[in-house]
Amino acid sequence: MSEVLVRSFGTAVRRLREARGWSQEQLAEHADLNRSYVGEIERGRAIASLVTIDKLSQAFGVRSATLLGHCDELSDANALKGSRLAAIAC
């Protein structure tokens, strides 16, 4: 489950970044993060700390709860998708 959460958070970050028309480099500048670290977060290969979540939220101009809410929505959607696939396989 934690892997799904990390990937969902990365997807949420990527979607918000793309919605603003920003490159990873631009997001990194706005959030005072390294560009390669942003890429690792988006790919679900790095686990963002609370400080990083706060920096990303401020860069996007949203509350941390809003950013994490996007992540929860994606996690729920992935869990539902997985249960549908399991039902089909049975």
Side-chain angles (χ1 to χ4, degrees), residues 76-90:
D76 291 345
N78 286 335
L80 181 59
K81 181 178 163 185
S83 65
R84 286 186 192 152
L85 291 175
I88 291 169
C90 294

Side-chain angles (χ1 to χ4, degrees), residues 33-64:
L33 297 169
N34 183 286
R35 197 239 20 106
S36 62
Y37 182 55
V38 169
E40 292 290 310
I41 290 170
E42 289 187 2
R43 287 188 296 281
R45 294 188 179 154
I47 300 172
S49 69
L50 291 173
V51 171
T52 299
I53 292 168
D54 183 59
K55 287 181 173 187
L56 290 167
S57 298
Q58 287 185 32
F60 289 129
V62 300
R63 296 179 52 212
S64 296

Side-chain angles (χ1 to χ4, degrees), residues 4 7-13 15 69-79:
V4 172
R7 282 194 311 267
S8 296
F9 181 76
T11 300
V13 169
R15 287 183 179 177
H70 286 285
C71 176
D72 278 345
E73 291 170 13
L74 291 168
S75 291
D76 291 345
N78 286 335

